[in-house]
Every structure is written in C-alpha cells, then in structure tokens.
Amino acid sequence: MTNKRKSPELLSPAGNFDKMKAAILYGADAVYMGAARFGARQAAGNSLDDIARVAEYAHRYGVRLHCTLNTVLFEDELHDAERMAREIIAAGADALIVQDMAFREMNLPIELHASTQVGNTTPEGVKFLGESGFARIILERSLSLDEIRNICAATTAEVECFVHGAICVGHSGRCFLSRTTSSRSGNRGECSQPCRLPYDLKDEQGNKIFTGKHLLSVRDMDLSQELELLMDAGVTSFKIEGRLKDERYIKNIVSHYRRQIDNILARRNDIVRPSVGTSRIEFTPDPAKSFTRGASTYMLHGKNSGVASFDTPKAVGEYIGTIKNISKRSFSLDKTHNLAAGDGICIITPEGLHGTNINAVNGHEIEPNRMDGIVAGAKVYRNYDHRFTLLMDRSRTRRTIDAAAWLTLSPEGCRLRVKDEQGIEVNVERNEALSPANNPEKMVQTAIRQIEKSGDTIFSITDVEVFGSENFAPASLLSDMRREALERLTAARIAAPRHHKILSDDGSARYPYPMVTRYENVTNSLSEKFYRKHGVEQIEPALELQPTHGQRVMISSYCLRREIGECLKQKPALKGDLYIEHGTARYRLVFDCQRCLMSLIDYSQKK
C-alpha cells in the first residue's frame, strides 16, 4: 500500500541551540538532536533545558523536533532511559528516534521513529515496524532507488532517508568494528571510526596488494539532484547528516536543499511544505564548499565502483585543477580557477595528502604558504573558500511568516486583527476615545506604516486594511498594539496543536524472519518482551555483549573487490581469501555475491 502523503520534510541536524536556530532560519522543516544520554552521537548531547528552548523556537515556524535515543540499552539502564524519554516529551519534543525495541514497550505518549540503527533494509522488515506502532522508518543509506520504492509501497508508515553527509560503510546498527579495537561501540554512541583508518590489503599467503590505503573509507553522500525521484518513490523526509558539523555547514547545506525542494514545490501542486516561513538567503549555497570527502550518490542508482576515498578520509573540498608548472615559490594549474588569498587547499600526491593556505594569486601564478606536496600532476582541491565563508558569515538571513492585518478605528477605540498564512489569528483592542482625523487619507498611510513594522519578529505583515480612517489614532498607540498583537501571535503559534502519529502496538504483527539474530542486539528484557509478543521463539544472545573475535563485525553493500576491479563475477585475478590489516586489527573479507554484500570477520590479535 503506497503512502500517499506528499509533504516533503527537510530534516536538519541540530547539535546545539545555535545550530538548530541556523537550520530553521535557513529553511529546515524539522530538526533532530540528541539528549544528554542514549544517543548515537554522545558528543552531540544536549540538556533538557536546551531541548525545551529548541522546541519552543522550532514550533513558532511549525518546525518539528525529533530527539535521538538511538543506542541499545542494557538492563540496568531501562529505568533511566524511560525517565529521560518522558522528560524529553515534557520538554516539547515531537518524536523520538530509537534503536532499541524497549522504547516500544514503555507506552510513551509520543511518536516513535525507527532509527537507521535498526537496520531497515527490506520491505517486510519495514512493514513489520510500521504495523508495530512506529510512525516513521529511517532507511539504511545504501539502498537503491528501486529498493526504496518497494519499501515505501509495502508500508503505511512514513519513510525517511539520508540525502547528504557522511556515509557509514557498514550497515547501520550491524557494525561492531569499533568494538574490535577498543571498548567504544557504535551501537552505544561512541564509534571510534576505524573504517576511516589506513589498511593493508593482503591475500591468503600474506602478500600485500595495497599498502596504507583507506580501503573502507567512502565518499560523502549528495542526493540533492535526486530529490524528486525520492519524493515520487514515496519518501517523506530528507535527512541531512551532521550533528557534529559546524554552523557554517548547516547554513550552506540546509539552504542548498531548501532551494532544491522549493524549485520542485513551485511547479507541482500535489505536494505541500510541512512548515511555514520564507527564508531569504543572501548568498548562493554550494555543497562543494562545505565539509565533503567528495560527492557521491552511493548505491542509489546501483552498486558500482567509484565510491571509495582511498587516499584520505578527510574533507578534500572542491576540485580546482591539476598542477601544471612549478617555480621556486609558486605554481600554476592546467585550467582557469578563482583561487584567492586566504583560501585553504589540499594537494593529493602518491605520498599522501598535503595542505596549505594561499598567500597570493598573481594572474596564473599561485603562491602557497608552503610548497610541500607541490609536484607536477598533483590534484588540487579547495577545502576553504575565504570569500564564500566571509559572505556567509556576514549574511543576515531571516525566516518570516506572512501575515495580514485589519485595523478598525472608531470614536470609542481601536481594534487590530492579525492572521498569519496558516490561519492563526489574534485580536488586540484599546478602549481609548479617538478624536476626528484632520486628514483621513494621511491617517490610512500612517496606520499602514506603523502596522507593517514587524521588525525582528518572525512575521512579515504583507497586507494591511484600515477601516474608520476618519478617526485619529496616534502612531505610538498603533505601534504598541502591533507589538502586542505579534507577541500574542507568536505565543499562539507555539501553543497551536501539532500533528502527531502516536500509534499503539497490539502485538498482532508477526516478526517476518525465522529468528532474532545476535546482530539485532537484544540486550534487555523489554526488548525481548517486544519480540516475544510478535511471535519470535528464538533470540540469539546479543553480539554487543559478546567477544567479537571470529564474529562477523560488519556487513556492507560496499564491496572492496568491486572497487578495485576484482569482482568475483568477472573472472578476477585475485584468488582465495582476502584480508585487511591495521596494526593488530585483522579482518577476513567474505563476499556474498548472490546478495552483493561484503562482510568483515574479526581475526584481530587481542592484547
């Protein structure tokens, strides 16, 4: 059954209040943030007071707040996790993003979203979650458009997918790689990102095929040109990754996606925006100028090579050109460029990544601060655009809600009615005797001028009608009434009822798989109760509570063989088992060609 609701939501990260404010001002329809505990990005936690501030600010624009409690829970954490969930609800959150099924058993009065950490990859799995009371399902990043379309057709729940930012190379919630090298766990919000480390690739005889390459590091996602395809596939929410990214990233990326979505909305009448307000951006957004490891659509259009970033796991920025000529203190490129003094660049050479700043540009000659890595044939990328950053920092972006006003003047006093574009309205009255106006036409002009002055409020009064202009009202009175009306309208917007899909679970849905495996991480009694209620008889002990040696610690749609041109379906030169190694960490690569998946088995040397 196809989800027919077409109200595409732009969902932005909000690592803290300032980032949230930037996200909303630059066009987000919803924001997501972590609480102090139980979030998949522990470094991006927020206090309950901060969450309450965010909720109040967001609700002025009809923007929703989703809070993350998306780690697995241990038995002794259930009480604290439920208490935190209820405190977040009281603070004004609109939804909880969760991984652990224990939250489904807590009877929480809030909309629940199944995190990508649940491992949402199949129509039957997503259908089950929707029938079990989850209002929204957040998909694994590596799905193709056809897979997304089939999932959306299988469920009545809303479907959310990532469209921008860093990609977890392993399927979310099914990666235990961090625990193989430390006590830190990705399923507990403390991933150490070992996938970004350099590895040696070896065959089963120990011969090195690659040395010191970032074999598991993939490029970042940018689906900004694919949004309409995703809308028509049934996706409800477009999620930007990056709760740990800075405010400039939020401003640039959110405004870029806002522009893309608005262009679609402008030519289609079958979709509407879920929040209100017009953002006036004073610069041209460009995702290449924010943190990026290089843009990729990843697996959206099929599993192809070219998604890896072997040379560096760091942000390289936008490609500028290749070094052509070199002098003692400068170099030139093979193409026209707009580099300027103050820009930051990185140079990729066979020996690695080098970075420096630009001191001066004289015609074709570029003078860097250092000449390290400046060799003919090296590729140059700009990872800091000084002029663009300055323009963004100086921009004074506002997001305003259109409103109309009706002012009625009479001998007995004044009445001001203000209604915003969503139909929320307030009235302000003053019972003060008014004298006759000497110039009714001038009275109209004065009234319009005073009422239109919305200042730094969230409103833009675009239309004012004046009745009874034969009566005189002083400008100070009108100004005072306008301020009170807009304050009341703001409060009314914050207090307005919000649409929530708080769903129950009667236990009638049947779990679609033979058993709950160790990779689903049932680590507490409430989670076990959930699965038992839905017909599960066999639940394996959670891998999160076991040693990882000899276990599959990652499953991925990314395939190293495919990436290096050694696909097993295409008569590869490399035969036998393959291993990747970094220090004492060692993993055997297992290839499931039928499903086109790669797994890592932990063979690390334990200390």
Side-chain angles (χ1 to χ4, degrees):
M1 183 175 180
T2 302
N3 184 349
K4 295 182 179 180
R5 179 176 181 245
K6 290 189 176 181
S7 186
E9 171 190 272
L10 177 56
L11 176 57
S12 171
N16 56 36
F17 181 83
D18 289 337
K19 293 177 186 178
M20 173 282 307
K21 189 174 181 180
I24 292 175
L25 290 179
Y26 285 77
D29 299 308
V31 294
Y32 65 100
M33 67 190 310
R37 295 178 64 192
F38 308 118
R41 295 288 184 272
Q42 290 286 31
N46 292 274
S47 70
L48 290 167
D49 286 344
D50 286 339
I51 291 171
R53 288 177 67 207
V54 168
E56 180 176 310
Y57 188 89
H59 293 157
R60 299 177 185 186
Y61 294 95
V63 169
R64 288 164 53 90
L65 168 61
H66 306 165
C67 284
T68 58
L69 293 175
N70 55 340
T71 62
V72 296
L73 304 176
F74 294 159
E75 187 70 25
D76 61 357
E77 295 173 327
L78 291 175
H79 176 75
D80 287 347
E82 180 172 354
R83 181 180 63 189
M84 176 156 286
R86 294 188 182 278
E87 289 173 341
I88 290 171
I89 295 167
D94 297 287
L96 294 182
I97 301 171
V98 303
Q99 173 182 7
D100 201 300
M101 292 300 115
F103 287 107
R104 183 62 269 180
E105 293 298 302
M106 292 176 183
N107 194 29
L108 299 169
I110 193 171
E111 187 173 304
L112 291 182
H113 296 178
S115 169
T116 185
Q117 290 288 112
V118 179
N120 304 312
T121 60
T122 65
E124 58 269 24
V126 170
K127 180 176 183 289
F128 165 74
L129 290 170
E131 292 174 347
S132 300
F134 285 93
R136 179 180 294 185
I137 318 298
I138 306 168
L139 300 183
E140 159 62 34
R141 291 169 175 87
S142 63
L143 297 178
S144 70
L145 184 62
D146 284 341
E147 289 172 319
I148 293 171
R149 187 179 292 113
N150 291 337
I151 286 173
C152 291
T155 183
T156 56
E158 295 178 351
V159 172
E160 175 180 310
C161 73
F162 283 89
V163 294
H164 198 94
I167 298 170
C168 288
V169 66
H171 286 185
S172 298
R174 303 294 179 267
C175 180
F176 303 82
L177 199 64
S178 183
R179 281 191 58 233
T180 67
T181 58
S182 70
S183 60
R184 296 170 60 184
S185 168
N187 288 306
R188 299 279 292 164
E190 296 180 321
C191 181
S192 60
Q193 295 191 317
C195 57
R196 301 295 182 184
L197 295 174
Y199 289 91
D200 297 337
L201 177 64
K202 295 183 178 181
D203 62 19
E204 56 189 9
Q205 284 77 40
N207 300 311
K208 287 187 179 182
I209 302 161
F210 286 101
T211 302
K213 291 294 184 180
H214 300 272
L215 300 176
L216 298 178
S217 183
V218 294
R219 294 158 65 189
D220 289 353
M221 179 180 283
D222 183 345
L223 301 185
S224 59
Q225 304 305 311
E226 316 291 338
L227 299 180
E228 193 161 12
L229 289 175
L230 291 168
M231 284 183 199
D232 290 337
V235 173
T236 296
S237 179
F238 303 116
K239 187 171 195 170
I240 297 169
E241 179 276 338
R243 278 188 284 151
L244 298 177
K245 299 293 199 308
D246 63 21
E247 196 173 320
R248 289 169 176 164
Y249 172 93
I250 299 296
K251 291 179 179 179
N252 186 30
I253 302 304
V254 169
S255 57
H256 174 69
Y257 277 82
R258 179 76 270 150
R259 178 173 292 190
Q260 299 299 112
I261 293 173
D262 284 349
N263 287 340
I264 299 170
L265 290 171
R267 54 183 171 75
R268 292 182 58 162
N269 56 17
D270 61 330
I271 50 180
V272 294
R273 186 178 176 184
S275 69
V276 294
T278 301
S279 299
R280 293 166 176 81
I281 311 299
E282 296 180 346
F283 63 93
T284 301
D286 183 350
K289 296 184 183 298
S290 289
F291 185 103
T292 177
R293 298 178 179 92
S296 167
T297 58
Y298 203 40
M299 309 292 176
L300 188 70
H301 297 296
K303 294 179 177 179
N304 302 302
S305 60
V307 299
S309 178
F310 284 174
D311 292 317
T312 176
K314 299 179 180 180
V316 295
E318 56 184 324
Y319 175 67
I320 299 298
T322 300
I323 295 176
K324 183 178 180 181
N325 298 310
I326 304 171
S327 62
K328 185 177 181 180
R329 300 190 62 181
S330 66
F331 66 91
S332 62
L333 299 176
D334 65 342
K335 56 186 293 189
T336 303
H337 64 86
N338 62 350
L339 288 173
D343 287 352
I345 60 171
C346 61
I347 306 100
I348 296 180
T349 71
E351 289 71 37
L353 185 73
H354 301 269
T356 187
N357 297 321
I358 301 300
N359 287 342
V361 176
N362 300 304
H364 296 293
E365 295 298 307
I366 303 163
E367 295 182 13
N369 189 43
R370 296 190 306 274
M371 292 292 288
D372 298 349
I374 306 297
V375 294
K379 295 183 182 301
V380 177
Y381 297 80
R382 175 164 53 194
N383 55 11
Y384 178 77
D385 187 326
H386 176 67
R387 290 171 298 185
F388 178 82
T389 302
L390 193 62
L391 182 63
M392 188 164 51
D393 289 347
R394 288 176 175 173
S395 67
R396 291 173 52 86
T397 297
R398 289 183 65 207
R399 176 171 173 172
T400 56
I401 301 168
D402 286 349
W406 295 266
L407 176 67
T408 301
L409 306 176
S410 70
E412 293 77 28
C414 310
R415 181 174 181 269
L416 176 63
R417 180 166 69 98
V418 180
K419 182 168 70 173
D420 70 23
E421 60 187 86
Q422 283 191 307
I424 299 174
E425 67 175 80
V426 295
N427 292 280
V428 174
E429 296 185 5
R430 292 289 188 272
N431 297 318
E432 299 181 18
L434 302 183
S435 59
N438 294 327
N439 187 336
E441 184 176 336
K442 185 177 180 181
M443 183 68 248
V444 170
Q445 295 173 352
T446 299
I448 291 175
R449 188 166 56 250
Q450 290 301 317
I451 301 302
E452 282 182 340
K453 290 181 180 179
S454 50
D456 290 330
T457 71
I458 64 173
F459 301 103
S460 175
I461 299 179
T462 57
D463 185 39
V464 180
E465 290 189 52
V466 181
F467 304 95
S469 59
E470 64 274 13
N471 301 287
F472 174 77
S476 59
L477 175 62
L478 299 177
S479 178
D480 183 64
M481 293 178 69
R482 180 203 69 239
R483 281 195 298 270
E484 182 179 341
L486 295 185
E487 287 173 0
R488 287 190 183 184
L489 191 56
T490 300
R493 289 199 58 80
I494 295 171
R498 303 185 304 280
H499 173 71
H500 292 142
K501 292 174 67 177
I502 303 174
L503 307 177
S504 60
D505 175 19
D506 62 7
S508 61
R510 299 292 89 182
Y511 188 66
Y513 309 112
M515 67 177 179
V516 176
T517 72
R518 69 198 70 181
Y519 303 104
E520 273 67 56
N521 270 332
V522 177
T523 54
N524 61 73
S525 58
L526 284 184
S527 181
E528 180 179 352
K529 179 182 177 182
F530 169 85
Y531 286 110
R532 298 292 187 200
K533 180 170 70 175
H534 291 284
V536 174
E537 295 183 359
Q538 185 178 356
I539 300 176
E540 290 188 334
L543 184 53
E544 193 64 35
L545 301 176
Q546 301 178 49
T548 60
H549 189 72
Q551 300 272 14
R552 185 183 72 185
V553 293
M554 178 191 286
I555 183 170
S556 178
S557 295
Y558 166 82
C559 176
L560 187 53
R561 275 189 172 274
R562 180 175 63 235
E563 198 67 26
I564 64 175
E566 291 287 339
C567 175
L568 286 171
K569 293 182 177 180
Q570 299 174 355
K571 298 181 180 180
L574 290 176
K575 307 293 184 181
D577 287 342
L578 297 178
Y579 296 81
I580 59 172
E581 297 179 359
H582 175 89
T584 60
R586 185 171 188 258
Y587 310 97
R588 181 166 67 91
L589 306 182
V590 177
F591 303 93
D592 181 346
C593 294
Q594 184 176 353
R595 296 191 297 161
C596 205
L597 298 173
M598 179 181 77
S599 295
L600 272 62
I601 310 299
D602 181 20
Y603 282 88
S604 300
Q605 301 173 26
K606 303 301 179 184
K607 295 182 180 179

